[in-house]
Amino acid sequence: MAETSQEAQSTQTASQRAQHEFEAIDNAVIQINSMNQQIASSAEEQATVAKEINELIVGVNSLAEETSITATKTDEKVSELTATAQTLEKRCAYFSV
């Protein structure tokens, strides 16, 4: 009978140890799930920021292209104005006294 009582006590102790281990595992799983949620949230935020940065870069690129086109047109107009000024200067030279 003492043996049965001792076996019952041993089984109860093992059962309690197993229960504590399962609780520890459960707590670890809860922590891992929480970390996974934080990681997922951070990844979504990073993706959003990366998308915004990409859109801004596309906008800057577009503005740079427009600036380049405007600079080219300005250069053409300056050349036209220079030619017109030279023509006017030559014509005015005819009227000099």
Side-chain angles (χ1 to χ4, degrees):
M1 182 131 171
E3 224 176 88
T4 305
S5 177
Q6 193 175 24
E7 286 178 14
Q9 182 65 30
S10 178
T11 302
Q12 183 180 9
T13 302
S15 176
Q16 287 174 345
R17 217 179 286 138
Q19 182 179 356
H20 289 296
E21 293 299 320
F22 283 129
E23 287 174 1
I25 291 170
D26 189 45
N27 288 335
V29 169
I30 290 170
Q31 288 178 341
I32 290 170
N33 284 339
S34 176
M35 288 183 218
N36 281 340
Q37 289 174 350
Q38 290 174 355
I39 291 168
S41 176
S42 295
E44 286 179 32
E45 289 175 11
Q46 288 177 348
T48 299
V49 169
K51 181 180 176 183
E52 289 174 6
I53 289 172
N54 186 49
E55 290 172 358
L56 290 172
I57 289 173
V58 168
V60 167
N61 184 52
S62 176
L63 289 173
E65 288 176 3
E66 289 178 25
T67 301
S68 176
I69 291 168
T70 302
T72 301
K73 289 179 181 179
T74 301
D75 186 52
E76 291 170 359
K77 293 299 179 185
V78 166
S79 294
E80 289 175 17
L81 287 172
T82 300
T84 301
Q86 289 172 349
T87 301
L88 287 173
E89 191 175 317
K90 287 178 185 177
R91 288 183 181 172
C92 287
Y94 289 122
F95 297 107
S96 294
V97 185

